[in-house]
Amino acid sequence: MYIKRIIVLYIFTIILLLNSVVYAAPYQRRFKVGVSIQSLGGIIRDAYGGVVEIVYILPEGAEPHSYQVTPDVIQSLGDVDIFVFTGHFSFEYKILESYPNKPHIMLDIEDKTYNGYRLHLLEYPSGEGYNPHGYWLYPDNAYLIAKAFRDILVELDPSSIEYYNRFLNEFEMRIDELKELYREISLKYNLNNSVILIGFPAEEYIVEPFNVSIVGVIIKGPGQIITPEETSKIIDILSKSPNKYIISSDIASKMGVYRLLNDISRMSKSKIIYVNVVGAGFDSYIELMYFNLGMIVGGIEANPYISSGGSEGELNIILLTFVSTLIIVVLVEAIYIYMLSRVY
């Protein structure tokens, strides 16, 4: 049922994206937007895709915390109109030092606001302060980021405020649909009575809308990993719970933590569910979140632990959803390019 619902919402999202392209046709100006990472840029694309050209700064596969931006990259950003940053990565501040007068939006971690809008920042599961990793994945935060971007657009192009407000209102509709699906899935699978171990801090913002109990995080930050004592305690908690999962970013499969994930899964008999946090392969925030919900639902409905990959039928549905989405995106982008050629 929920896989079908996610397919319908995918299609609804694509229709709205196409609608935004139609609205954008009369514009004589588009804004070049420099975005630090792909999953953040997907928010701007979903809300204002018809009037923005997005440039991603972080190279694919690069680790954002350790990435060092080069002078050539900084120079290439000279024609960017607006920067959209997380406020969490050092390379973002390096770029702003070079372009202090460029409009930009980013998190102020001290007062927990994003260009004046107060975000919902979660505390680390261990209680060690606020978690700045992946806060933009939380649906309410995504909407406020889009709202902050609307404010910048209005400053640069005040005569088009009606169009920008329309884009923002449509994006809010999609966020409300996403939140409603979260609520329905949580209710159906009794997730508010489940315990979850996450692999990295960013996954907290993907699973928290289910109103789950997060018992810990394996990788707390760069060079910070869960201790043996904490691991033993978490395994004990997971083992005693009838409704438990391990949810981790799929990048774990390329890291040393992958073995630890599987060891904890085996010892606690907890199902591992992988999600996409960085947004690789997705230019849309909404599509990324629906994909993750599909992975979570598929993981829950599969064998809770002893499984060779889950139900083949469920896996085929998920793959079919993914392929169908890619086909629709290609068609929409083709129409988009054609309409731009008519305008310009």
Side-chain angles (χ1 to χ4, degrees):
M1 172 185 175
Y2 287 93
I3 295 295
K4 292 180 180 178
R5 175 78 181 279
I6 291 169
I7 294 174
V8 171
L9 290 174
Y10 264 140
I11 296 173
F12 177 67
T13 297
I14 297 300
I15 291 172
L16 286 178
L17 285 174
L18 179 58
N19 198 30
S20 69
V21 172
V22 174
Y23 285 144
Y27 281 84
Q28 297 302 309
R29 180 182 179 186
R30 296 178 71 225
F31 297 92
K32 191 168 186 178
V33 183
V35 185
S36 49
I37 60 173
Q38 195 162 359
S39 55
L40 179 62
I43 296 171
I44 306 304
R45 179 185 182 273
D46 283 348
Y48 307 100
V51 296
V52 296
E53 174 191 352
I54 296 179
V55 176
Y56 294 112
I57 298 169
L58 184 72
E60 185 174 352
E63 206 292 313
H65 297 89
S66 59
Y67 175 65
Q68 299 294 319
V69 65
T70 64
D72 288 344
V73 171
I74 293 177
Q75 185 177 2
S76 71
L77 300 172
D79 60 345
V80 165
D81 298 301
I82 306 169
F83 286 116
V84 177
F85 288 159
T86 68
H88 180 56
F89 304 127
S90 61
F91 74 88
E92 297 172 332
Y93 292 93
K94 186 70 174 179
I95 292 169
L96 290 181
E97 288 176 6
S98 300
Y99 299 104
N101 298 320
K102 293 256 188 191
H104 66 276
I105 57 176
M106 64 190 300
L107 174 69
D108 183 335
I109 190 64
E110 295 298 325
D111 62 7
K112 307 177 187 64
T113 61
Y114 199 94
N115 276 52
Y117 294 103
R118 183 165 292 278
L119 299 184
H120 183 61
L121 294 187
L122 303 172
E123 289 191 3
Y124 281 104
S126 56
E128 300 170 356
Y130 288 97
N131 178 6
H133 302 270
Y135 65 85
W136 54 92
L137 297 169
Y138 191 76
D140 286 339
N141 290 345
Y143 169 72
L144 292 177
I145 290 169
K147 196 172 184 179
F149 190 81
R150 187 278 313 271
D151 294 347
I152 295 292
L153 290 179
V154 171
E155 288 181 14
L156 298 176
D157 184 18
S159 64
S160 301
I161 184 173
E162 179 182 342
Y163 289 98
Y164 301 138
N165 284 338
R166 183 185 299 168
F167 294 146
L168 181 62
N169 290 339
E170 290 179 353
F171 183 65
E172 185 178 20
M173 290 170 52
R174 282 173 269 172
I175 292 294
D176 288 343
E177 285 278 350
L178 176 62
K179 290 164 62 177
E180 178 61 26
L181 187 55
Y182 259 110
R183 285 190 288 267
E184 293 180 7
I185 292 173
S186 181
L187 181 63
K188 177 177 175 62
Y189 297 104
N190 197 27
L191 291 180
N192 60 321
N193 290 320
S194 66
V195 293
I196 290 180
L197 170 66
I198 56 176
F200 301 85
E203 283 97 79
E204 186 175 19
Y205 288 98
I206 292 179
V207 303
E208 198 274 345
F210 290 125
N211 194 28
V212 299
S213 175
I214 301 176
V215 296
V217 55
I218 295 179
I219 302 295
K220 300 178 181 181
Q224 295 178 295
I225 192 168
I226 191 172
T227 66
E229 292 78 13
E230 291 171 325
T231 302
S232 177
K233 181 179 178 180
I234 287 173
I235 290 174
D236 184 59
I237 294 173
L238 292 174
S239 299
K240 293 177 180 178
S241 174
N243 196 18
K244 70 284 186 92
Y245 306 98
I246 300 172
I247 295 182
S248 173
S249 169
D250 52 13
I251 63 173
S253 63
K254 302 176 183 178
M255 302 172 64
V257 70
Y258 182 71
R259 180 174 179 178
L260 178 57
L261 275 170
N262 283 276
D263 286 344
I264 295 175
S265 170
R266 174 176 51 81
M267 288 186 283
S268 66
K269 299 191 182 300
S270 302
K271 174 74 176 181
I272 302 178
I273 300 174
Y274 290 104
V275 293
N276 186 325
V277 170
V278 297
F282 291 90
D283 287 327
S284 163
Y285 164 78
I286 297 292
E287 291 175 9
L288 171 64
M289 296 303 286
Y290 286 159
F291 172 80
N292 285 333
L293 288 179
M295 296 301 293
I296 290 171
V297 169
I300 292 173
E301 292 188 345
N303 189 304
Y305 175 63
I306 304 174
S307 172
S308 59
S311 165
E312 183 177 353
E314 289 169 348
L315 181 58
N316 287 338
I317 290 174
I318 293 173
L319 292 176
L320 178 60
T321 302
F322 207 26
V323 172
S324 300
T325 302
L326 292 177
I327 293 173
I328 294 172
V329 169
V330 169
L331 291 175
V332 171
E333 289 182 347
I335 296 172
Y336 180 38
I337 294 171
Y338 170 73
M339 294 190 70
L340 286 179
S341 67
R342 295 280 301 275
V343 174
Y344 301 102

